[in-house]
C-alpha cells in the first residue's frame, strides 16, 4: 500500500517550487491573489531569511506540496496520507477533504496567529537526541515554567517546546540524564505548546467557517496518530494540533501496522523520508 506524506515548516529553501510553476501556473497565481502578495516571487527569488518568516514559510511549503501532488496526476493514488504539523493541510487538500482556496486561507490564518503568539513571549524549541521519550516527558513535567514534548519525530529524537528559560533548564536536565545531545533550534517560537493557545482562537474560527469533505483515503492526524475520515473529527484534530504534540513516530508506526509498504514524500525537502527509515527500517521512502 502506498502512503503519501507531506512536510511542514522547516522544509523551505530558496528557489522552491520554481520547477513546478509552468505546469501549475494557475495554482500559483491563485495563491498570490488570495494572499494579497506575490508568494511565488518570494519562493523563487527570495533569500532563506525571507522564507523563514512564519507568514511566508507556511503558505510556501503548503503551495509547493499541493502543486507537487497535482503534478503527479493520475498516478497519485494514496491508500493513506499524513502530514507533519503544517503538512496536514497539504495532505487534506491532496486527498480531497479541503479545497485549495480554503486550505491556503487556513494556512495563512494559522501562520499569522502563530507569528503573533511567538512575538508575545520569549520562547523556543530544542531537539533532544538519544534519550527515551518517558525520561524527557518526566523532565518536562518536573521543570518549572512551560516546557512540553512537541514533536515525537523518531525513536531517540524528541523536540521539546516552551519558554526560553524552561527549555534551557530542561536541556541541561536531559544532558545530565544521558542525552547524547540537546540542541536549541533556530526558531522564534514554541510551536505545539500551550504558548500557541492565543493562535487557537484565530485558527478555530477560520476552521469553523470552511467545509471539510470526507477524504478519499484515511488521513493519519498528528494529535491522535491514527486513521481519521470523519470531517468533524478532522476539524477538531486540526484545532488541537496547534498546542498538541506532533506524534510523527507513532503516526508512521500506525500507518505501517495498517499496511503501508512504501512512503512518498510530497513537497520540498527530504526530512520525512529520513524519519520514516529510522522509524520503520527496511521500508522504502522516496520523493514523489
Amino acid at each position: 500500500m502506498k502512503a503519501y506524506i507531506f512536510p511542514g515548516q522547516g522544509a523551505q529553501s530558496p528557489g522552491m517550487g520554481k520547477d513546478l510553476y509552468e505546469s501549475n501556473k494557475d495554482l500559483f497565481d491563485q495563491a498570490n491573489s488570495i494572499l494579497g502578495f506575490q508568494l511565488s516571487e518570494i519562493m523563487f527569488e527570495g533569500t532563506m531569511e525571507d522564507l523563514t518568516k512564519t507568514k511566508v514559510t507556511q503558505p510556501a511549503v503548503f503551495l509547493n506540496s499541493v502543486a507537487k501532488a497535482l503534478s503527479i496526476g493520475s498516478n497519485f493514488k494514496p491508500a493513506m496520507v499524513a502530514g507533519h504539523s503544517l503538512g496536514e493541510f497539504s495532505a487534506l487538500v491532496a486527498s480531497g477533504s479541503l479545497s485549495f482556496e480554503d486550505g491556503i486561507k487556513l494556512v495563512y490564518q494559522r501562520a499569522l496567529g502563530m507569528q503573533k503568539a511567538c512575538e508575545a513571549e520569549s520562547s523556543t524549541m530544542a531537539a533532544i537526541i538519544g534519550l527515551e521519550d518517558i525520561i524527557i516527558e518526566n523532565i518536562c513535567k518536573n521543570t518549572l515554567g512551560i516546557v512540553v514534548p512537541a514533536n515525537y519525530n523518531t525513536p531517540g529524537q524528541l523536540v521539546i517546546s516552551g519558554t526560553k528559560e524552561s527549555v534551557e533548564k530542561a536541556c541541561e536536565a536531559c544532558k545530565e540524564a544521558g542525552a547524547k545531545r540537546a540542541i536549541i533550534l533556530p526558531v522564534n517560537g514554541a510551536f505545539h505548546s500551550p504558548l500557541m493557545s492565543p493562535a487557537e482562537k484565530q485558527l478555530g474560527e477560520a476552521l469553523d467557517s470552511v467545509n471539510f469533505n470526507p477524504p478519499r483515503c484515511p488521513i493519519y492526524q498528528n494529535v491522535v496518530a491514527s486513521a481519521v475520515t470523519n470531517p468533524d473529527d478532522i476539524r477538531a484534530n486540526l484545532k488541537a494540533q496547534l498546542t498538541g504534540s506532533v506524534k510523527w513516530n507513532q503516526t508512521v508506526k500506525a500507518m505501517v501496522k495498517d499496511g503501508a509498504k512504501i512512503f512518498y514524500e510530497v513537497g520540498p525537502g527530504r526530512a520525512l523520508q529520513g524519519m520514516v527509515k529510522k522509524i520503520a527500517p527496511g521500508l522504502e521512502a522516496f520523493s514523489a
Side-chain angles (χ1 to χ4, degrees):
M1 291 171 74
K2 292 180 180 178
Y4 286 79
I5 51 179
F6 295 77
Q9 196 161 339
Q12 69 276 5
S13 62
M16 61 188 287
K18 212 168 185 177
D19 58 325
L20 298 166
Y21 179 71
E22 283 306 320
S23 57
N24 295 278
K25 189 175 182 298
D26 290 347
L27 197 73
F28 282 88
D29 291 347
Q30 188 183 4
N32 293 337
S33 175
I34 291 168
L35 296 173
F37 65 90
Q38 292 297 304
L39 176 63
S40 59
E41 195 174 301
I42 301 171
M43 290 169 68
F44 304 160
E45 311 298 339
T47 63
M48 193 62 179
E49 188 180 353
D50 295 330
L51 283 166
T52 49
K53 293 169 184 167
T54 297
K55 68 177 185 180
V56 172
T57 309
Q58 295 197 21
V61 172
F62 168 83
L63 174 56
N64 188 299
S65 297
V66 174
K68 185 73 176 175
L70 286 173
S71 296
I72 298 168
S74 60
N75 290 325
F76 183 71
K77 293 175 181 174
M80 54 187 81
V81 295
H84 191 283
S85 189
L86 161 72
E88 273 193 3
F89 290 86
S90 315
L92 285 166
V93 172
S95 63
S97 180
L98 193 58
S99 72
F100 173 75
E101 184 178 351
D102 286 338
I104 199 158
K105 285 177 181 176
L106 288 174
V107 165
Y108 192 51
Q109 287 304 310
R110 181 182 190 267
L112 291 176
M114 288 173 76
Q115 190 147 323
K116 197 185 293 182
C118 291
E119 292 162 1
E121 189 159 3
S122 179
S123 56
T124 192
M125 303 175 80
I128 311 300
I129 312 293
L131 198 60
E132 289 178 36
D133 290 350
I134 193 163
I135 296 173
I136 301 169
E137 290 164 355
N138 286 332
I139 285 170
C140 287
K141 280 179 195 170
N142 295 320
T143 300
L144 285 175
I146 297 173
V147 57
V148 297
N151 296 353
Y152 291 81
N153 283 335
T154 64
Q157 191 203 104
L158 199 162
V159 174
I160 61 174
S161 182
T163 58
K164 197 167 184 293
E165 188 180 357
S166 297
V167 168
E168 287 170 353
K169 284 179 181 172
C171 282
E172 289 307 311
C174 286
K175 286 176 189 172
E176 288 169 15
K180 290 178 183 174
R181 297 176 76 191
I183 310 154
I184 301 289
L185 300 177
V187 296
N188 62 349
F191 303 149
H192 302 290
S193 84
L195 293 172
M196 286 293 111
S197 56
E200 251 183 343
K201 184 173 184 290
Q202 185 170 344
L203 179 62
E205 288 173 355
L207 284 164
D208 286 338
S209 72
V210 304
N211 180 57
F212 285 83
N213 301 307
R216 67 174 68 103
C217 66
I219 176 164
Y220 287 66
Q221 289 190 277
N222 294 173
V223 295
V224 291
S226 59
V228 185
T229 55
N230 181 283
D232 292 333
D233 293 339
I234 289 169
R235 182 186 279 110
N237 290 334
L238 287 174
K239 289 179 184 178
Q241 192 218 63
L242 266 185
T243 55
S245 300
V246 174
K247 298 174 182 172
W248 189 251
N249 181 16
Q250 299 91 322
T251 294
V252 171
K253 285 178 177 174
M255 295 170 91
V256 172
K257 186 182 175 188
D258 290 348
K261 299 295 183 193
I262 187 165
F263 286 79
Y264 291 98
E265 184 168 3
V266 189
R270 297 183 176 184
L272 298 186
Q273 297 166 58
M275 289 185 199
V276 166
K277 288 170 183 176
K278 287 177 181 173
I279 296 164
L283 282 193
E284 294 181 300
F286 305 99
S287 294

